[in-house]
Amino acid sequence: MGTGTPIGRVRGLGSAKHGAHHWWQQRLTAGSNLFLMAWLMISVARMPGYDYAAVHLWLQSAWVAVPMALLILSVFYHFRLGLQVVIEDYQHGESRVVAMILLNLFTFTLGGIALFAILKVAFSGAPA
């Protein structure tokens, strides 16, 4: 039979069988965040200048824009996964649904704005 109390088994309480997948997603995004943030730190440290024109020119390179876009996607997805766990653990009832909707709206909006900014710079011409 299973573990838990008989009334818990009747009510269907227990594991939802999705914890391992969520756990792996958090670990994989954490690893990619670590790798991509190390790339960003080294790449920024090796830049010849930090004025607007130099950074704009640096970000126009596909070798920079693609990892930056991947970093944005990974960081925002990791952020969403972590806060989802907090909301699921500490919010109950209708406030959980509202909090999850607001979390999704917040992360997709800010992630989209960040990706748009990177792509705008990557596909634009020389800085003014």
Side-chain angles (χ1 to χ4, degrees), residues 50-115:
Y50 299 107
D51 59 303
Y52 176 78
V55 173
H56 194 276
L57 186 64
W58 173 75
L59 194 54
Q60 281 184 331
S61 167
W63 294 104
V64 175
V66 170
M68 284 293 288
L70 291 174
L71 177 65
I72 293 298
L73 290 172
S74 179
V75 165
F76 276 96
Y77 189 59
H78 185 77
F79 171 78
R80 188 199 162 282
L81 287 172
L83 282 183
Q84 177 183 345
V85 170
V86 172
I87 290 170
E88 288 171 349
D89 287 347
Y90 296 108
Q91 293 293 317
H92 305 287
E94 291 179 16
S95 64
R96 177 187 288 184
V97 175
V98 172
M100 287 300 296
I101 290 171
L102 290 174
L103 172 65
N104 288 332
L105 185 66
F106 179 77
T107 53
F108 289 132
T109 301
L110 288 185
I113 290 169
L115 282 176

Side-chain angles (χ1 to χ4, degrees), residues 15-25:
S15 174
K17 309 287 190 263
H18 294 288
H21 180 68
H22 191 96
W23 184 86
W24 270 111
Q25 285 181 333

